[in-house]
Structure formats: C-alpha cells, structure tokens
Amino acid sequence: MSPKRGDRAAPPPIEGEYDLRFADSAAAEGWDLLTRHAPTGLRRAYDRIRSTPRATDNQGRQHRLKGKLATADFKGRELERWQYEVTGGGRIWYPVDTQAFTAWITYAGTGDPRETD
C-alpha cells in the first residue's frame, strides 16, 4: 500500500529524533519517486532531517528557504520551512514543528517545486 497524507515517512523515531510525516499524498508520491531515483541520497536526507532538521553546517544540501518561502502556514501555525537537496534537482521541503517534534514533508520530488520558478 502506498503512503498517504499523515503517514509516517519511515519507521517511528527513537528518542531525540524528529518524526517525518507526509503533509499530503503528493508529497508521499514524490518520496516514493525519490526512493526509485536516488535511494542513497534519500537515505542521507532522511537520516539528517530526522536527527537535525534545522542544521546549518551543510548549506549546500540543507538550508532554510528564503523570503516568502521561509515560513509555511501549517495546521494553523506558522512554521520555519526548510529544504534538503537530495540530488542536483531532487528536493524535500518540510516545515519543522518543534513543539510536536515533527518535520512535515510538504514536497518531495526529482525537480524543484513550482514555487521556485
């Protein structure tokens, strides 16, 4: 069965890790596409986001989005929105909910989201 909105992106987190969940079915489908096209890069992204979703030590791959994309209104709250570059074109966008210890995957795919065009 394919993942869908609200589903966990992988096994449950252990203590101190963030939960990764899909914000919608499109994000889940994009994640599935990345599993086929960039499994190693996706695994690195998964491990990194789960352990340190707001890390700033690898700006080439993981960084907070800028300007109007820097925040996302998610479930009635304004959250910081981050990006992980899985491949040269593949991206994961995720608002970070520090209260719920959850990174909500709002976009996953092999290309840039349309908002950046």
Side-chain angles (χ1 to χ4, degrees):
M1 185 165 92
S2 296
K4 58 189 179 303
R5 179 176 51 125
D7 281 357
R8 183 171 282 124
I14 58 174
E15 187 175 334
E17 290 183 330
Y18 275 71
D19 197 6
L20 272 65
R21 292 193 174 264
F22 299 114
D24 56 31
S25 295
E29 290 168 12
W31 184 275
D32 192 46
L33 186 64
L34 282 170
T35 64
R36 293 191 301 275
H37 290 277
T40 302
L42 182 60
R43 179 54 193 243
R44 286 186 185 122
Y46 166 78
D47 289 341
R48 185 66 168 190
I49 295 168
R50 177 162 260 185
S51 65
T52 52
R54 297 165 65 212
T56 58
D57 62 336
N58 187 2
Q59 294 281 319
R61 289 272 178 211
Q62 184 178 19
H63 56 271
R64 186 171 178 192
L65 292 169
K66 296 179 177 142
K68 67 179 183 171
L69 299 175
T71 59
D73 183 28
F74 192 78
K75 295 191 174 204
R77 297 180 38 226
E78 191 169 301
L79 304 175
E80 289 183 3
R81 185 169 17 196
W82 286 70
Q83 172 176 270
Y84 192 98
E85 296 182 20
V86 179
T87 66
R91 305 285 190 268
I92 300 170
W93 282 15
Y94 55 97
V96 179
D97 184 342
T98 54
Q99 290 178 351
F101 239 60
T102 302
W104 288 96
I105 301 165
T106 56
Y107 175 82
T110 57
D112 276 329
R114 291 185 179 197
E115 289 102 305
T116 62
D117 292 344

